[in-house]
Amino acid sequence: MELNDSKVFYSQPAVVEEYARAANGVGLWRSEEKVFTRLFKPDDVLLEVGCGTGRIALGLWELGYHRLMGVDIAKGMIEEARRINSVLEYGISFRVADATKLPFADNEFDGAIFGFNGLMTIPSRVNRRAALREILRVVRPGAWFAFTTHDRGDERYRDYWVEQETLWREGRQLAGLVEFGDRWLDSPHGPQFIHIPSREEILEDLAATGWRYEIDTDRARLANESQQVHDFSGECRFWVAQKPAD
């Protein structure tokens, strides 16, 4: 599994259309609003990585956050985000960019977001850590970073992961999966890659890339989400980290 494979999946017109429907119909989750408004001030310059068609950025704009930059590796996602932004006459900036090689100066942003488990769609721990280092580089000292993941420790999926441990130990895992926690999800648009981390794995990754861990919690503990949100996204874990001050 390579970075380009994930890019190809999210570049499919049908996938872009699905994300556009979410941008228009689902909007900002209650949990996202609660976390983001506590971390960031309306006048902060914010970076959203893996923005898709702009669901989070559009929701933040409507809350009064007007200094936003959204980036995504898939050109089709960015084109649709720009189209929606233009129709709504908002002023959000969107550009194509790879999270592992961000085209921004050091300390350029006051905070960053990587929503909807987007970090975990990056294949390989090496690449995910590269993205974490890049986000750290482009935010100022003391800046907050919020992101979400699924949770391999979720008791509802314990039997699945016990079975997977046996398969991986015997070398019988599905083709194309190279790290324990990798999964192919069934989707109408073909196999969709995602990595399901353990909590300990994320803590290690944050420490290894220079972030100071602040807190993590299940989405369900933050807010009662609408049925639309549940239909769009399964349970996830929110993480908050901070770039150490100089």
Side-chain angles (χ1 to χ4, degrees), residues 51-209:
C51 67
T53 59
R55 179 184 64 82
I56 290 175
L58 294 165
L60 285 172
W61 180 273
E62 291 164 359
L63 291 176
Y65 293 81
H66 291 171
R67 305 176 73 187
L68 303 168
M69 168 64 73
V71 300
D72 199 281
I73 197 171
K75 182 180 178 182
M77 291 285 187
I78 293 300
E79 289 175 343
E80 181 63 12
R82 288 171 174 165
R83 187 193 68 79
I84 296 171
N85 181 68
S86 177
V87 168
L88 294 174
E89 298 184 336
Y90 293 173
I92 305 167
S93 297
F94 292 103
R95 65 184 294 182
V96 178
D98 181 341
T100 67
K101 303 173 185 176
L102 292 171
F104 304 114
D106 296 356
N107 308 322
E108 189 168 337
F109 297 94
D110 297 314
I113 296 164
F114 209 148
F116 195 35
N117 314 316
L119 179 62
M120 296 297 111
T121 67
I122 299 176
S124 104
R125 195 174 193 182
V126 169
N127 289 327
R128 290 189 292 275
R129 286 190 174 186
L132 288 172
R133 290 190 182 94
E134 275 293 271
I135 296 166
L136 183 84
R137 179 183 65 79
V138 301
V139 298
R140 61 168 176 76
W144 295 106
F145 172 42
F147 64 103
T148 62
T149 70
H150 290 303
D151 183 3
R152 200 159 72 228
D154 190 324
E155 282 298 315
R156 291 172 296 179
Y157 305 107
R158 181 179 181 278
D159 291 345
Y160 173 85
W161 289 111
V162 168
E163 178 185 10
Q164 287 298 308
E165 282 184 322
T166 300
L167 293 176
W168 280 77
R169 188 167 56 250
E170 297 173 354
R172 296 190 292 119
Q173 71 271 22
L174 291 176
L177 303 182
V178 296
E179 297 171 335
F180 186 64
D182 288 356
R183 282 199 65 181
W184 290 116
L185 301 179
D186 293 329
S187 89
H189 318 297
Q192 180 180 7
F193 173 84
I194 194 163
H195 181 76
I196 312 293
S198 66
R199 183 172 182 273
E200 293 73 19
E201 180 182 330
I202 297 299
L203 291 172
E204 290 171 2
D205 288 348
L206 290 173
T209 54

